[in-house]
Amino acid sequence: MANIRTVKEINEKIKKGDALVLTAAEMVNLVEEKGEKIAAKEVDVVTTGTLGAMCSSGAVINLGHSDPPIKINRAWINDVEICHPGAAVDLYIGATMMSETHPFEYGGGHVIEDLIKGKEVELRAVSYGTDCYPRTKLETTITKNDLNQFILLNFRNCYQRYNCATNGRNEAIYTYMGKLLPNYGNATFSGSGCFSPLMKDPDYETIGIGTRIFLGGTYGYVLGEGTQHDPTNNFGTIMVKGNCKKMNIDFIRGASFTKYGTTLYVGIGIPIPILNEGLAIKTGVSDEEIFTNVVDYGVPRRRRPTIRQVNYKELKSGKITINDREVKVSSLSSLKKAKEIAEILKKWIDEASFFLTSPAEKLPTNTVCNPMKQTRELAFVEALIRPSITCSEDDTIKSVAERIIRHSVNHVVVVDNRRKLRGIVTSWDVTKAVADGTKKLVEIITRKVVTTSPDDPIEEAARKLAQHNISALPVTDKNGKVLGIVTSEDLTKLIRR
Amino acid sequence: MTRLLLQFSKQQITFPITSQVILEQGVLLNILRAHVEPTFGEILVEVPQEYVNRIVNAFQKRGVKATVQRRLEVDNNRCISCGACYSLCPISVISFEEDYSIVFEGEKCIACGLCIDACPTQALHI
Ligand code: SF4
Ligand code: SF4
């Protein structure tokens, strides 16, 4: 599409105070009211924003040299292990590294937050000692003012869009998408919809290496595409850096997801210069036009089943329908802060304290994100299912005993006439019933049955067997229909292989 | 301040028990909610933390059931208004406004605890 203005021209207007800057939400309204032609003519810049959990985040710090100097081998800040990817006193605080004394509560993200706040943190380090770096131990306290550099360096941030998560299992699960109640009891989503930075320039016409952005309350830069950048599926990501010393914890915050681990909430806003009419259309896209999938996180596989499509207008309403039932849906990223970030960025540009950049190189639009190469494929329960011998609640103990002998099995699964699981009877239960003179089958059925699903990794099934000290698991689908059984014998054979 | 739920039986409603306790203990009770029906009564009061035991005893001596009501507390310095807690609340204590600020109506909270471990910034406590 032919360009109608350049970044240079926009910057000149900003300098003079003549540029028209709108937040993404204001642009959506304008395009809706007056159409993209007028919007493109009038508007110079559209500001976006998002503030969400971004796990692939961290900070590079440089400590300066001690006397005698140390070449740090391992280091901890407030008991969180810090990695040392580089030379003697360069460290990287990874957001997801957890405290060794308070795991799941405090981690790298919190260390970054504490340092930004100006808090004093405890640093411990050890080394093997060299001729040039003789020191082997170090214990000190530091604040951000003691650091030569304190740079946020995030290698995957700002997903263009993300799944909406729900859970079809019959137990609550704790994921990086938050707490998900059983039986599709709630849903969570991430991303700010119409404010989402990469969604507003989905072909990366204006974003790339060197793009100046809002990052954690100050300005930062895009370093290029992020890891797992997947533009063909609209799952683009960026790598960013910024000066932590100037950041503000209103827009960058340590966090932890129960039973998942720690992370960092990062606020990012990208200004999109309206260089042509196409960008006016794209920045004017509303919540209603941005779709994502509702995905069942109850299935622990790389390809999780999609339940339906949903748009961000529905998500932002707080309620969506899953399988004919209305459930509450939570945003995990802060929609309030997303809007605030877009507004602040707008203010900075209006005040001529923030200028736009043209990227030295744009984000790639054609790369693909491949799955992991696994030299040994992990097996799933589906590979081990064998047909189960079943009975109904009205059967006699005798007939169950006969089945056990005829099929030489130890477990008979009790089902109803629609093959739904009602319980389980083992050869031991039958033997005991005979010895005790119990007549009725219903008296010996175990009702609380531990089950597995075809998509459970075999390790998970083995864990269940060991944990409950049992020797078989009926395999059920998500409606409780019995598909078969896996036994500990089959499992051990496979795991040993 | 701690919240106490006072539950009166039919016989007790007719006596000015609450006033008696206030006079006897010399402690002011802040009445948050009162609900009286022909067969029973319920009053929700706020009591300074240090007097809770004395007040509970004084009511119980008079046959009134007094129970400490726990409820959700939100640390506004930690809350980032993400909304992760919102979809977990079985009753509508947690809602959001047009600008997506999260609003807590602590009064309604039944202290079930479902929302607590969903908060990524540990802003919620009971
Ligand atoms: S404790 Fe329970 S009732 Fe209270 S706000 Fe949290 S989820 Fe709602
Ligand atoms: S989950 Fe925590 S941070 Fe998010 S809105 Fe609720 S209280 Fe605030």
Side-chain angles (χ1 to χ4, degrees), chain B residues 72 88-91 93-94 108-116 126:
Chain B
L72 188 70
L88 294 157
C89 183
I91 49 179
V93 174
I94 310 172
K108 291 200 226 155
C109 174
I110 54 170
C112 73
L114 271 176
C115 61
I116 308 291
I126 290 189

Side-chain angles (χ1 to χ4, degrees), chain A residues 187-360:
Chain A
T188 60
F189 69 100
S190 196
S192 54
C194 76
F195 280 103
S196 170
L198 295 189
M199 211 66 205
K200 296 268 117 159
D201 179 10
D203 304 311
Y204 322 128
E205 291 174 66
T206 71
I207 304 171
I209 299 176
T211 301
R212 189 180 290 128
I213 58 173
F214 174 107
L215 183 61
T218 180
Y219 62 85
Y221 293 92
V222 174
L223 298 179
E225 92 243 46
T227 55
Q228 291 187 23
H229 179 62
D230 188 4
T232 39
N233 291 309
N234 286 339
F235 276 105
T237 70
I238 51 175
M239 200 176 281
V240 300
K241 71 159 271 192
N243 184 357
C244 280
K245 289 194 181 189
K246 291 196 174 148
M247 290 186 186
N248 167 352
I249 60 144
D250 280 346
F251 300 102
I252 184 158
R253 196 66 79 80
S256 63
F257 284 101
T258 304
K259 295 190 193 166
Y260 170 73
T262 59
T263 184
L264 190 68
Y265 267 74
V266 183
I268 294 182
I270 303 185
I272 317 274
I274 305 303
L275 303 180
N276 54 48
E277 220 172 275
L279 281 165
I281 299 174
K282 292 168 197 165
T283 49
V285 162
S286 70
D287 281 332
E288 231 170 324
E289 298 162 281
I290 302 176
F291 287 87
T292 189
N293 293 331
V294 181
V295 170
D296 187 353
Y297 274 62
V299 179
R301 297 289 292 266
R302 188 173 58 217
R303 281 207 176 284
R304 302 184 174 99
T306 294
I307 295 172
R308 56 166 292 203
Q309 273 217 324
V310 65
N311 69 39
Y312 271 82
K313 187 176 175 197
E314 290 174 86
L315 291 174
K316 288 186 184 179
S317 76
K319 289 201 174 112
I320 58 168
T321 308
I322 300 180
N323 297 342
D324 297 328
R325 195 158 63 101
E326 193 174 71
V327 295
K328 286 192 190 173
V329 56
S330 280
S331 165
L332 292 178
S333 58
S334 177
L335 299 172
K336 185 182 178 194
K337 299 259 180 193
K339 184 160 170 267
E340 244 174 80
I341 289 170
E343 279 160 4
I344 292 173
L345 196 47
K346 171 179 160 156
K347 194 168 139 245
W348 286 352
I349 300 172
D350 278 341
E351 287 168 351
S353 61
F354 187 107
F355 290 90
L356 270 45
T357 52
S358 296

